[in-house]
Amino acid sequence: MARKTDIPPSYYGEPRKFDPGFRGPIHNRGCTDVVCCVVFVIFILGYIALGTVAWIHGDPRKVVYPTDSHGQFCGQQGTPNANKAILFYFNILQCANPAVLINLQCPTTQLCVSKCPDRFATYLDMQYNYRYNKSYWEYYRQFCKPGFDNPRKVLRLICQNICLCVSVLQRCFPDFITRNGTLTVANKTVFKDGLGKTRSVIDLRDAANLLDAKEVGMKIFEDYANSWYWILIGLVITMVVSLAFILLLRFTAGVLLWLIIFGVIAVVGYGIWHCYWEFSTLRGKPHGDGDVTISDIGFQTDFRVYLQLSQTWLIFMICLSVIEAVIIIILIFLRRRVRIAIALLKEGSRAIGYIMSTLFYPIITFVLLAICIAYWAVTAVFLASSGDAVYKVMSTPDKCVYANLTCDPETFSQTNVTKVCPGSQCTFAFYGGESLYHRYIFVLQLCNLLVFLWLVNFTIALGQCTLAGAFASYYWALRKPQDIPSCPLFSSFSRAVRYHTGSLAFGSLILAVVQMFRIVLEYLDHKLKGAHNAFARFLICCLKCCFWCLEHFIKFMNRNAYIMIAIYGKNFCTSAKDAFFLLMRNVVRVAVLDKVTDFLLFLGKVLISGSVGVLAFFFFTRKIPVIQEEVPSLNYYWVPLLTVIFGSYLIAHGFFNVYAMCVDTLFLCFLVDLEVNSGSAARPFYMSSTLRQILDKKNISLTVAKSCI
């Protein structure tokens, strides 16, 4: 007859067997997922080659500097346009044509100028005033094509109307000002276009479609220049508070969590009492209004009507009572698991206290991520700026058969296009080409994005595996801190890079592919927003939801797989399977710990960023009398305030990510400890004494030693 085991076989795999030689993260391990490692290295070399080719063919000046109708850069040093850094549109009203989005060009002459016009003037006004005021022509000629010097023979394609403009993004746009609710330019709401037509300022606004953000941008920059020192002080305070909060969690985690739980119970209980009080009040009215039911009044757009019915408050009271009962029942039956979660949170704080270097590892992750982002952005810019200048035939009105066809500006005057379409021009449109490289620019941009996502996820995976190895070394030290190995963080990082680059790359690639699909779906959803095909939009929405769930599930599995890799040194698939089965064998504990940890860490992030934000608000609004004189003069106090709040949340997020990784690692080690050890002298538990007390477990060797003493 077979002997019954202590732990019955599980549907999710057999419990892990005891290994007498296991003393924490295995040191004698081999390389895992070598094929994926080789593929990853090849892709990195290819990514470097892609960046090199983009650097050779690309020209960032095409992005930095605006380009005139002749393909020349505005404001580039060493060119005739060195002192002309702003692009001027002859007739900006032509840019309101929807064809601009298709043809990638505004059908009007574009000219580099040193400054934008500061007055209204039409070429008819110029011809009239030229006879009486020569200076009028000297001002006006700078907005005509270079070399033109005959004001008596002005053509529409050589000079055009000008209006009061400002420079926005190195381009001249009308200077819109709202006066008494009316949009104006130079105190005018209408103007003559020189063709006998009266045009509205609204036409200019529709053509420009931009706001004057220059002044606001300058003020914001000035605020940053005056307050950067105090912003840094606020962020340093956040770092200190975050560190102190994590270290104090070993003493306050239980108190905080139980206060929150009983606070929720109290709030729901008050809601039940309030609903009962409203119900009793309405039922006791002499007019009988409380006896009216919801079905009697039907659907009402004013929902306040329902609050006058006793039946509404009865439904509220029943719902809250059910919620209260569920919470209490869960606490009664899961109280031990909640206590285990609290004990693990305290143990995580203690582990970080022994391995303080882990709190600074996010700096390495940040630097690596910054390198990845910078390389991706530079490569994307160089790819986008690859190609030669492409010129197209521009004709006004667009009735020319040659309109929008490519042309050569050097030979354009010798073609019959000017005869068939009088007044047409060969103007610069965009940068591109017909070579194999130029035809696949879009594909190369997708490759750039995919490898970027792969590298970002690999960097995060490397950090998770490194931290997991360090914290696992802490857990599997029987005597803490004496048995904790020296430099556990560096040792874990070395093992991850030397042996498990392929495994980390494998998990990162799976996640990167899913994220790539999500980006494509977001792009398709953006394109279909104006479509009337409801089924297509519904399908895209469902796919987005499915891939969102899939991405979060893969992130969860990858995180636990990296912990198993850091401990046992197996390949990615085996580690993911072992982690999944281990978690499923303890699914209730996983659910409780995950929610408790997430809620407590979220509370900590909000508490820290909110507290620092309140302090910054009182400081920048001069409401702290002691240091009132030290506050810098600001245009917008919310600029440094929002920067401090956002930066504080990011810093707290970085610190608490380390803490969350610590808790997850200790939790998996705890589950393995329960499965492989029994508390005997040969198989002692490695968990803390608090966890052993909660689970009513004892190490026999320690008990015997105490009895002997």
Side-chain angles (χ1 to χ4, degrees), residues 175-338:
D175 187 11
F176 297 114
I177 298 177
T178 302
R179 299 182 182 278
N180 298 324
T182 303
L183 191 67
T184 65
V185 174
N187 295 326
K188 296 182 178 180
T189 58
V190 295
F191 61 95
K192 298 287 186 180
D193 64 357
L195 299 175
K197 295 181 179 180
T198 301
R199 306 297 293 268
S200 170
V201 172
I202 304 298
D203 297 334
L204 283 176
R205 185 194 63 182
D206 294 339
N209 198 25
L210 286 174
L211 297 176
D212 182 12
K214 180 180 178 181
E215 184 178 355
V216 176
M218 291 299 295
K219 289 182 178 180
I220 291 176
F221 179 80
E222 182 181 350
D223 288 343
Y224 276 124
N226 293 333
S227 61
W228 67 269
Y229 177 76
W230 296 104
I231 292 175
L232 288 180
I233 292 178
L235 298 181
V236 170
I237 293 175
T238 302
M239 293 178 62
V240 175
V241 174
S242 299
L243 177 60
F245 188 88
I246 289 176
L247 296 179
L248 290 175
L249 274 178
R250 73 174 74 176
F251 309 108
T252 60
V255 176
L256 282 176
L257 186 60
W258 287 115
L259 281 177
I260 293 170
I261 291 174
F262 287 116
V264 171
I265 293 175
V267 170
V268 177
Y270 171 78
I272 294 173
W273 174 84
H274 182 76
C275 291
Y276 176 76
W277 181 80
E278 292 283 356
F279 171 76
S280 302
T281 303
L282 292 173
R283 292 286 290 182
K285 283 187 175 182
H287 302 290
D289 294 338
D291 296 330
V292 180
T293 63
I294 296 177
S295 59
D296 293 336
I297 64 173
F299 177 76
Q300 299 290 329
T301 56
D302 187 2
F303 290 98
R304 290 176 295 180
V305 174
Y306 297 106
L307 298 180
Q308 306 300 321
L309 305 179
S310 61
Q311 189 182 47
T312 303
W313 293 102
L314 178 62
I315 294 173
F316 287 162
M317 184 176 64
I318 293 174
C319 293
L320 290 178
S321 300
V322 172
I323 294 174
E324 185 87 332
V326 170
I327 294 175
I328 294 174
I329 292 173
I330 289 176
L331 285 177
I332 292 174
F333 287 96
L334 299 181
R335 63 187 184 280
R336 175 179 288 187
R337 290 179 173 83
V338 173

Side-chain angles (χ1 to χ4, degrees), residues 454-620:
W454 194 359
L455 290 175
V456 167
N457 289 317
F458 176 82
T459 301
I460 296 173
L462 178 61
Q464 292 176 342
C465 190
T466 299
L467 292 173
F471 293 126
S473 299
Y474 164 84
Y475 185 92
W476 295 109
L478 187 59
R479 296 177 303 162
K480 303 176 179 65
Q482 294 87 347
D483 292 343
I484 299 177
S486 59
C487 303
L489 184 67
F490 178 76
S491 301
S492 179
F493 179 80
S494 302
R495 290 194 299 269
V497 174
R498 180 179 179 182
Y499 298 111
H500 306 302
T501 298
S503 298
L504 301 180
F506 188 19
S508 304
L509 177 60
I510 297 173
L511 184 58
V513 171
V514 174
Q515 291 173 337
M516 192 72 181
F517 274 108
R518 286 198 64 197
I519 292 174
V520 172
L521 289 174
E522 289 290 345
Y523 174 78
L524 293 177
D525 183 51
H526 178 73
K527 288 296 183 182
L528 291 174
K529 277 187 176 179
H532 298 288
N533 192 333
F535 176 76
R537 286 188 279 112
F538 172 76
L539 182 61
I540 291 293
C541 184
C542 292
L543 289 174
K544 285 172 59 179
C545 179
C546 292
F547 274 94
W548 181 88
C549 296
L550 180 61
E551 179 185 355
H552 281 73
F553 175 75
I554 291 176
K555 284 182 177 180
F556 175 77
M557 287 308 306
N558 282 4
R559 185 183 183 93
N560 290 282
Y562 299 147
I563 295 174
M564 300 300 282
I565 290 173
I567 298 174
Y568 294 103
K570 296 183 179 181
N571 60 50
F572 176 80
C573 292
T574 303
S575 300
K577 182 193 69 174
D578 292 344
F580 178 74
F581 285 169
L582 179 63
L583 294 173
M584 291 305 296
R585 290 196 295 268
N586 301 271
V587 63
V588 178
R589 286 173 176 161
V590 172
V592 173
L593 179 77
D594 185 60
K595 297 307 176 185
V596 168
T597 304
D598 288 348
F599 183 75
L600 192 59
L601 296 186
F602 174 75
L603 182 68
K605 294 174 190 177
V606 174
L607 181 64
I608 292 174
S609 58
S611 300
V612 176
V614 170
L615 180 64
F617 172 78
F618 283 115
F619 174 78
F620 289 117

Side-chain angles (χ1 to χ4, degrees), residues 343-344 346-347 350 474-475 480 670 673 685-695 697 699:
L344 284 171
K346 293 181 178 179
E347 193 68 16
R350 189 176 295 109
Y474 164 84
Y475 185 92
K480 303 176 179 65
F670 165 73
D673 193 10
F685 289 115
Y686 286 80
M687 67 186 72
S688 65
S689 58
T690 304
L691 285 171
R692 291 200 302 269
Q693 291 175 4
I694 294 173
L695 297 173
K697 303 285 186 180
N699 279 336

Side-chain angles (χ1 to χ4, degrees), residues 602-666:
F602 174 75
L603 182 68
K605 294 174 190 177
V606 174
L607 181 64
I608 292 174
S609 58
S611 300
V612 176
V614 170
L615 180 64
F617 172 78
F618 283 115
F619 174 78
F620 289 117
T621 54
R622 301 177 183 270
K623 294 183 178 180
I624 304 179
V626 180
I627 53 176
Q628 196 174 40
E629 300 298 328
E630 302 294 332
V631 180
S633 178
L634 300 171
N635 297 297
Y636 309 110
Y637 74 86
W638 51 263
V639 171
L641 176 62
L642 292 180
T643 304
V644 169
I645 294 175
F646 183 70
S648 298
Y649 186 84
L650 290 181
I651 291 175
H653 181 72
F655 275 94
F656 282 83
N657 269 354
V658 174
Y659 184 72
M661 196 68 203
C662 177
V663 174
D664 289 344
T665 303
L666 296 181

